[in-house]
Amino acid sequence: MNSIMTHGLAAQAEVHQVVRDASGLISSTWLLIAFPLLGAAVLLLGGRRLDKTGHLIGTAASCLSFVMAVALFVAMLGESGDARAFNVPLWEWFNAAGYQVEVGLLLDQLSMAFVLLITGVGSLIHVYSIGYMEHDERRRRFFGYLNLFVAAMLLLVLASDYLILFIGWEGVGLASYLLIGFWQHKPSAAVAAKKAFVVNRVGDMGMVLAIASMIVVFGSSSFELVFAGAGDAPTSWLNALGLLLLLAACGKSAQFPLQSWLLDAMEGPTPVSALIHAATMVTAGVYLVVRSAAIYDLAPEARTAVVLVGTITLLMGAIIGCAKDDIKKALAGSTMSQIGYMMLAAGLGPAGYAFAIFHLITHGFFKANMFLGAGSVMHGMNDEVNMRRFGGLRAAMPVTFLTFALGYLAIIGIPPFAGYFSKDKIIEAAFADNILIGLCALIGAGITAFYMTRVMLMTFLTSKRWAEDVHPHESPRVMTWPLIGLAALSLVGGAALLYVGGGIVEWLEPVTGEEHHDLPLPVAALIAITLVVVVAGVAVAWLLYGRRPVPVEAPAGNPLTVAARRDLYGDAVNEAVLMRPGQYLTRSLVYVENRGVDGAVIGAAKAVGGLSARWRRWQTGFVRSYALTMLTGAGLVVVAMLLVRLP
Amino acid sequence: MNAPDLEYAALLPMIIVLGAAVVGVLVEAFVPRGPRHLVQVLLALVALAAAFVQVVRLGGTEIVGAVGSVAIDGPALFMQGTVLVLAFVSVMFFAERRIEGGADAFAPAASSLPGSEDERVLVRERVLQTEVYPLAMFSVGGMMLFPAANDLLMMFVALEILSLPLYLLCGMARRRRLLSQEAALKYFLLGAFASAFFLFGAAFVYGFSGSVRFSDIDAALGARIGQEGLLLAGVGLMAVGLLFKIGAVPFHAWTPDVYQGAPTQVTAFMAACTKLAAFGAMLRLFYVALGGVRTDWQPMLWAVAIVTMVVGIIVALTQTDVKRMLAYSSIAHAGFILTALVAVDQVAVSAILFYLATYGFTTLGAFAVVTLVRDAGGEATHLSKWAGLGKRSPLLAATFGLFLLALAGIPLTSGFVGKLAVFSAAFQGGAMPLVIVGVVTSAVAAFFYVRVIVLMFFSEPAAEGPSVAVPSMWTTFGIGVGVAATVLLGVMPGPLLDLAEQASVFIR
């Protein structure tokens, strides 16, 4: 017993650096959140008079936050490698019955990486939206929601207590709901928003139960006390916590079995899909798992579950991505799949945490790049999303094409583009852990190459299949510059993150720990095999879509295609497994309730109501009866004083 | 006999406020009618602000002054400061003139017969009656003295100083004057009755201890000199007087009638400030003077707390008038605060101080919102008229919704933190049954608060519904203060909680 505990504590000390109280610039970390929050408040409360300037205010708020983030980053670089974690206490929220919640921020290497991603990509997408939403009369509101999202997301990654994190978690959920349903006049958008909301509630139950369990086991929900106590907690509790947090992560990050909302969420405006449903919010689940490393490190079963969920989702998402003709849905399937990779890596423990975050960041670059590219295409094509109606857009939209192509090369993992470095690391780590998981990751890479090549071919190459009244044109500069920025990051982001100044692995090491497993085969061989698989995927896509003309009407397709078109029956499964039994359950419950519970509840309500109606009559309005009541009361009080006393 | 030595610095806040009240009476006599309203409002606001500054400067003072009859210590200063801030906002509500089209909420001349030709002439000439400001200032002076009173006589005097002007203020509504006058008369009669109980009880306790000074009473309790019946009956009777002021059941009967009949601005002032002052006095009396016999009075207060919570909440369920609903809600809140009071603990003192401050701001704001929803007959207080208000005036409905959520104790509002504080104090004091009753009644209470929100936002607007008056800066600013306090103290209660904790030690 004793030795196990010592071992556990030793492992803690190894991983967790000392968190210092912030001073100087870093104690102003809260400004990061304050800027966009203020922006949201101004935009949403400001009313019509801000309609003309609202988008500029929103963009400025986000950019200020980014400038602040860069300043903080520089300040952090000035510290030595293992002394870069800062506690920024703000105020005590409440302290009752031994449960204390401190509203505070934790700025360390992990949250810094997220802050830079959120504010950086977020600001680019704000700029892009100025052009994309130009003709929308509710543009001010749109920017208000975007700012709200940025603020909530920053709170999520900066919180130093699970309860505060949960506020950010719900905040991004709210912003996501509002933005998916932004075009609420479309019933499909309203339904999609509702679906995202409901599915996310399932995940949130996991979060709520996890926080409640923490309070029971550790007496606190602050990172500091939970992580410090994890070493002494029973493994069963840690596994339960790990699984509950995984459930939360599945909801937010659209992982199996809570993946179904993400594809529908594409009903939102495209910048939203890029920012929330590709680059940042949907990665919150990965953040949660990596942040909870101290729990997962000691919960092997929960970690296995994370790996399984990640692996299943990465294959599912990839297969769905192959069959979608809607460009945004194809990209959404790809997002699911790529987050599956991150989850897989996160489930590998210290061997994979850093790579999960690495891939998360590069994915943020290239996926936002491609989503914005898709938005640019839609902008030029009268909001057409069906790729069977695209084709040959290379000439009409050269900037969009080139930037999209860089994103494409990055995601399929061609060296030296960003995705090559990050995905390759995950495949290596997966192979080192388990051959079967490694093979799945490898196959996923092949499918990724296939469906992305398909998107590329159907959209930009091949013959023109445009609808008659469509005249594609390049988007305005305010939209292409963010594309160029993100494309540049897709090009050099991976190498830069891996190699500049020790790279991201060394940067994150104090937070996530590091562990190296030996590969069963030489690294160079694995890289070669991966590339071969990728090239094979590209080749198959070329054979199917490049050489042959793409029909405008989708062909019937084989059973797998049909299944993939229908999201691998995700909704059907939901219906069969959750909805129908749920309906039966509710029906039978309604029956029981009508017969039994209702009787009691309505009876109680009626009794209380009746009591209320009767007691109301005491209020006669006559002073004499009031005085009599008082006199009686006084008599009772005096009698009670004289007769009753506590021991 | 020499003139007594007075600690003027420590008494200065009360001297300023009562002095301003006296000057206000002179203003009534000598300042011409034109500028009089403005002069009175500014005089009151400046005096309240000045008194507040002096209270802040006194922070940390602990003296028993005025020949032992007044104690200036943490709880007294905290209460005085809070009363001053709440009264400041109340006076701003009093000054509102836009929603009545140039007139304020008070009858042009309280002495004119309702419905008479006199009254009509005065209304037509747009006469404003400004005696309300000196009256309110006298009352505030009494409210500041009440929690600082350190002997039984001073406590009684303070009780009367705060009550008498209030009785008058209640009878001065511009609209529905008969209802208002009836309320004032009821309040006066029952208040006099309650004061008599208090005085009677004070006489008994004096008979037991031979002194009116709290420290002497405490010492006499320690000596246990017999004649306990005299003491216990006295404590019970004094408790009746104070429980009447806080509106605890079964001494609550005046509350709904008076809250409904009084001008709403006065109701707001009364609900926020009187309750605060009365709880302050009750804390000092029961903790400083009668702490030694706590086992005797705790069971009685347990019972009162339970009955107050249960009756307040249950009767509130079927109320159809906004002001009456808020009145029953205030009764229930008195019950919640009593749960902490019976704990007899320093934590309880700080919890109660915090609760009173948060409740004061929320209830002030809620009543101020009520003044804005109007139809031809004045304020439209019947709940059915509020249906669909959220569609017509979303900002106002959202503001009222926020206050209701705070009264229900929903997290992220000040009401949640306050309830958490008093219930955990009661829990630590071993009053588990009270906490259970408190939590259950809170849950029931959420029903009727949320029902109003549902009514405002999810019902079809009434066909001939009320209109929402656009207030002047006075009311807008006051409601803004209420909203800001309700949200800020819900999200960031730390500083005020710390202050309440520092201020929670009584000087003996």
Side-chain angles (χ1 to χ4, degrees):
Chain A
M1 176 65 196
N2 215 350
S3 68
I4 295 171
M5 271 175 61
T6 335
H7 174 76
L9 288 174
Q12 294 303 306
E14 212 170 76
V15 171
H16 293 290
Q17 58 187 335
V18 178
V19 180
R20 295 183 291 158
D21 273 343
S23 58
L25 178 70
I26 294 180
S27 51
S28 314
T29 303
W30 57 274
L31 279 174
L32 282 173
I33 304 171
F35 287 129
L37 194 62
L38 192 68
V42 167
L43 291 176
L44 295 177
L45 298 176
R48 295 258 152 86
R49 73 199 91 156
L50 293 178
D51 275 353
K52 290 229 164 58
T53 51
H55 53 284
L56 297 178
I57 297 173
T59 311
S62 175
C63 290
L64 274 175
S65 199
F66 177 62
V67 170
M68 181 75 197
V70 171
L72 287 172
F73 180 59
V74 171
M76 231 169 154
L77 283 177
E79 307 286 338
S80 73
D82 52 358
R84 285 173 178 159
F86 297 93
N87 197 12
V88 189
L90 294 178
W91 68 80
E92 183 181 72
W93 187 12
F94 59 80
N95 180 359
Y99 177 50
Q100 182 186 9
V101 177
E102 181 89 32
V103 179
L105 306 178
L106 171 66
L107 187 72
D108 64 359
Q109 293 89 334
L110 179 60
S111 42
M112 193 68 236
F114 269 89
V115 166
L116 285 171
L117 176 74
I118 296 161
T119 55
V121 175
S123 297
L124 284 175
I125 291 175
H126 272 78
V127 173
Y128 176 93
S129 305
I130 294 176
Y132 192 83
M133 299 300 282
E134 194 177 355
H135 303 296
D136 197 300
E137 56 187 26
R138 291 160 74 228
R139 179 164 69 166
R140 169 182 58 83
R141 187 177 289 258
F142 179 81
F143 276 86
Y145 291 160
L146 273 191
N147 271 349
L148 178 68
F149 168 77
V150 170
M153 188 72 202
L154 287 170
L155 180 64
L156 195 167
V157 297
L158 283 169
S160 63
D161 184 303
Y162 279 99
L163 196 67
I164 307 300
L165 181 150
F166 187 58
I167 295 176
W169 186 269
E170 288 302 310
V172 292
L174 171 68
S176 158
Y177 169 79
L178 292 170
L179 285 166
I180 295 172
F182 188 72
W183 286 321
Q184 57 204 197
H185 53 87
K186 289 200 294 186
S188 56
V191 170
K194 206 196 285 178
K195 183 171 177 184
F197 201 78
V198 171
V199 175
N200 266 293
R201 292 287 79 66
V202 180
D204 290 350
M205 281 311 296
M207 191 76 178
V208 172
L209 290 175
I211 293 174
S213 312
M214 285 170 195
I215 295 168
V216 171
V217 180
F218 307 107
S220 167
S221 56
S222 77
F223 290 164
E224 193 187 347
L225 294 178
V226 169
F227 298 161
D232 302 334
T235 312
S236 53
W237 267 113
L238 293 172
N239 273 322
L241 267 180
L243 291 174
L244 288 170
L245 290 172
L246 174 63
L247 180 63
C250 283
K252 196 60 80 193
S253 293
Q255 298 293 291
F256 177 80
L258 299 177
Q259 81 287 2
S260 62
W261 64 273
L262 184 62
L263 292 157
D264 293 8
M266 296 300 124
E267 289 291 339
T270 308
V272 172
S273 311
L275 177 60
I276 301 187
H277 304 118
T280 55
M281 184 192 83
V282 285
T283 58
V286 181
Y287 169 77
L288 186 67
V289 173
V290 174
R291 176 55 83 195
S292 311
I295 294 172
Y296 283 101
D297 284 351
L298 301 169
E301 281 80 11
R303 245 164 56 192
T304 310
V306 176
V307 171
L308 280 179
V309 164
T311 311
I312 294 173
T313 317
L314 89 83
L315 290 174
M316 268 183 87
I319 292 169
I320 292 172
C322 292
K324 290 289 177 186
D325 289 334
D326 178 329
I327 184 168
K328 285 180 73 181
K329 294 207 169 173
L331 289 175
S334 156
T335 303
M336 258 173 74
S337 163
Q338 298 300 314
I339 298 171
Y341 273 106
M342 299 167 207
M343 276 290 182
L344 194 177
L348 296 176
Y353 291 138
F355 299 138
I357 300 302
F358 181 26
H359 193 55
L360 191 157
I361 294 172
T362 57
H363 174 257
F365 296 154
F366 59 68
K367 188 52 71 60
N369 173 11
M370 283 190 288
F371 259 114
L372 294 186
S376 175
V377 169
M378 287 161 60
H379 199 67
M381 297 288 287
N382 294 357
D383 286 328
E384 178 67 74
V385 289
N386 186 354
M387 292 190 290
R388 294 187 184 276
R389 283 290 180 184
F390 292 165
L393 288 174
R394 177 186 41 171
M397 313 177 101
V399 180
T400 307
F401 165 66
L402 282 172
T403 53
F404 197 96
L406 290 178
Y408 159 72
L409 292 170
I411 191 174
I412 65 173
I414 300 290
F417 297 92
Y420 159 73
F421 298 99
S422 54
K423 196 191 286 180
D424 207 60
K425 288 290 177 196
I426 294 181
I427 296 175
E428 274 175 32
F431 264 108
D433 188 71
N434 181 317
I435 295 275
L436 203 60
I437 301 290
L439 278 177
C440 288
L442 188 60
I443 294 169
I447 309 179
T448 307
F450 171 79
Y451 69 74
M452 283 315 302
T453 310
R454 175 175 174 271
V455 169
M456 197 69 197
L457 290 170
M458 286 173 82
T459 306
F460 292 102
L461 305 167
T462 62
S463 58
K464 298 172 184 172
R465 301 176 301 278
W466 307 342
E468 275 164 21
D469 53 345
V470 167
H471 308 286
H473 53 84
E474 186 57 271
S475 299
R477 288 223 189 108
V478 70
M479 289 170 68
T480 49
W481 277 109
L483 283 176
I484 293 168
L486 287 167
L489 288 170
S490 308
L491 174 59
V492 300
L497 280 171
L498 193 58
Y499 296 119
V500 172
I504 188 163
V505 177
E506 195 185 305
W507 169 260
L508 288 174
E509 195 265 339
V511 184
T512 59
E514 201 185 353
E515 209 174 276
H516 196 74
H517 290 288
D518 287 328
L519 272 177
L521 68 173
V523 175
L526 185 57
I527 293 175
I529 295 172
T530 311
L531 282 176
V532 168
V533 171
V534 166
V535 171
V538 174
V540 174
W542 168 252
L543 288 176
L544 287 177
Y545 295 94
R547 282 201 332 175
R548 289 191 268 172
V550 179
V552 173
E553 290 304 319
N558 59 34
L560 184 62
T561 317
V562 175
R565 273 188 200 140
R566 301 189 51 192
D567 307 346
L568 292 181
Y569 301 110
D571 286 334
V573 170
N574 278 355
E575 258 176 47
V577 178
L578 298 173
M579 203 180 96
R580 293 242 177 74
Q583 278 175 343
Y584 287 128
L585 188 67
T586 45
R587 265 179 222 152
S588 37
L589 281 180
V590 166
Y591 181 79
V592 173
E593 193 182 312
N594 283 342
R595 290 300 169 90
V597 184
D598 252 22
V601 172
I602 293 179
K606 267 193 186 149
V608 172
L611 213 56
S612 180
R614 196 161 320 142
W615 287 358
R616 254 183 97 169
R617 282 189 222 135
W618 294 345
Q619 203 69 23
T620 53
F622 293 119
V623 181
R624 54 174 186 264
S625 54
Y626 295 174
L628 190 65
T629 320
M630 277 178 66
L631 188 64
T632 320
L636 286 174
V637 163
V638 171
V639 170
M641 285 298 299
L642 293 174
L643 293 186
V644 188
R645 86 184 277 197
L646 288 180
Chain B
M1 190 177 162
N2 293 329
D5 276 337
L6 291 180
E7 292 70 10
Y8 284 105
L11 303 177
L12 192 55
M14 286 179 276
I15 295 174
I16 292 173
V17 171
L18 292 172
V22 173
V23 173
V25 173
L26 294 177
V27 169
E28 282 300 308
F30 295 111
V31 175
R33 191 179 273 171
R36 200 191 292 157
H37 183 265
L38 189 66
V39 171
Q40 288 284 25
V41 172
L42 290 181
L43 175 66
L45 291 180
V46 168
L48 290 170
F52 182 74
V53 169
Q54 178 61 14
V55 166
V56 172
R57 287 180 52 195
L58 284 173
T61 312
E62 283 200 334
I63 51 170
V64 176
V67 210
S69 63
V70 173
I72 300 295
D73 54 8
L77 287 171
F78 188 95
M79 296 270 181
Q80 291 185 342
T82 318
V83 161
L84 287 167
V85 175
L86 293 172
F88 189 90
V89 178
S90 304
V91 167
M92 295 178 80
F93 292 151
F94 285 10
E96 174 65 51
R97 285 172 66 183
R98 189 185 289 176
I99 51 184
E100 278 278 9
D104 58 15
F106 304 101
S111 55
S112 66
L113 214 59
S116 66
E117 185 57 33
D118 273 2
E119 188 196 28
R120 268 193 287 281
V121 170
L122 289 166
V123 169
R124 204 179 316 123
E125 288 178 1
R126 296 182 175 272
V127 174
L128 288 182
Q129 182 256 86
T130 46
E131 282 126 3
V132 289
Y133 301 98
L135 283 172
M137 295 299 279
F138 277 121
S139 188
V140 172
M143 288 167 182
M144 292 167 72
L145 182 57
F146 205 24
N150 199 40
D151 72 28
L152 295 174
L153 286 180
M154 189 55 84
M155 188 166 265
F156 179 71
V157 169
L159 175 65
E160 293 305 306
I161 297 179
L162 90 84
S163 301
L164 290 170
L166 266 185
Y167 301 147
L168 281 174
L169 283 172
C170 288
M172 290 195 176
R174 173 174 287 267
R175 312 263 189 149
R176 295 179 209 157
R177 290 190 57 198
L178 287 174
L179 196 66
S180 169
Q181 292 181 349
E182 182 188 328
L185 189 65
K186 277 182 187 166
Y187 194 19
F188 170 67
L189 287 173
L190 295 173
F193 198 38
S195 293
F197 278 118
F198 181 86
L199 205 53
F200 201 19
F204 275 15
V205 172
Y206 175 71
F208 167 82
S209 64
S211 169
V212 290
R213 193 76 45 82
F214 286 179
S215 48
D216 295 343
I217 296 172
D218 186 45
L221 295 182
R224 287 275 168 189
I225 49 178
Q227 297 201 310
E228 292 215 335
L230 202 57
L231 170 74
L232 295 178
V235 173
L237 292 173
M238 282 200 296
V240 170
L242 292 171
L243 289 170
F244 172 85
K245 273 289 158 212
I246 63 170
V249 179
F251 315 105
H252 68 291
W254 61 278
T255 316
D257 291 9
V258 173
Y259 275 28
Q260 187 185 20
T264 307
Q265 286 83 349
V266 173
T267 311
F269 171 59
M270 206 163 43
C273 299
T274 314
K275 192 166 298 238
L276 190 122
F279 264 110
M282 202 164 164
L283 275 174
R284 189 178 299 279
L285 177 65
F286 279 84
Y287 282 32
V288 176
L290 304 173
V293 283
R294 73 181 64 151
T295 47
D296 289 293
W297 53 258
Q298 269 170 332
M300 181 272 288
L301 282 185
W302 268 57
V304 171
I306 291 177
V307 178
T308 304
M309 288 187 280
V310 170
V311 171
I313 294 295
I314 288 189
V315 182
L317 286 176
T318 47
Q319 295 304 315
T320 51
D321 184 282
V322 180
K323 284 169 83 177
R324 287 185 86 85
M325 188 198 84
L326 289 173
Y328 279 105
S329 142
S330 96
I331 293 172
H333 280 277
F336 296 143
I337 302 174
L338 278 177
T339 61
L341 196 141
V342 292
V344 196
D345 188 15
Q346 198 193 332
V347 182
V349 179
S350 70
I352 293 173
L353 291 177
F354 181 82
Y355 196 107
L356 287 168
T358 59
Y359 175 76
F361 283 111
T362 306
T363 200
L364 263 184
F367 277 112
V369 172
V370 173
T371 64
L372 299 182
V373 182
R374 311 177 71 85
D375 58 14
E379 286 157 14
T381 54
H382 199 275
L383 268 177
S384 64
K385 302 239 172 108
W386 286 55
L389 203 65
K391 292 191 176 108
R392 215 170 306 147
S393 185
L395 191 62
L396 179 108
T399 309
F400 197 62
L402 172 75
F403 291 137
L404 289 176
L405 290 179
L407 290 175
I410 304 295
L412 291 180
T413 64
S414 57
F416 168 71
V417 186
K419 256 188 194 155
L420 196 68
V422 291
F423 286 159
S424 54
F427 177 74
Q428 282 169 25
M432 196 60 197
L434 284 185
V435 176
I436 292 173
V437 175
V439 171
V440 170
T441 48
S442 298
V444 178
F447 168 79
F448 66 79
Y449 293 123
V450 174
R451 190 185 57 164
V452 177
I453 296 177
V454 171
L455 188 75
M456 288 193 299
F457 285 98
F458 302 104
S459 298
E460 281 309 307
E464 288 176 16
S467 60
V468 171
V470 179
S472 65
M473 284 309 293
W474 295 115
T475 303
T476 313
F477 184 79
I479 294 179
V481 170
V483 170
T486 303
V487 173
L488 262 181
L489 294 177
V491 180
M492 219 174 125
L496 189 67
L497 277 173
D498 289 345
L499 190 66
E501 198 183 326
Q502 285 164 22
S504 60
V505 183
F506 284 104
I507 185 171
R508 282 164 194 280

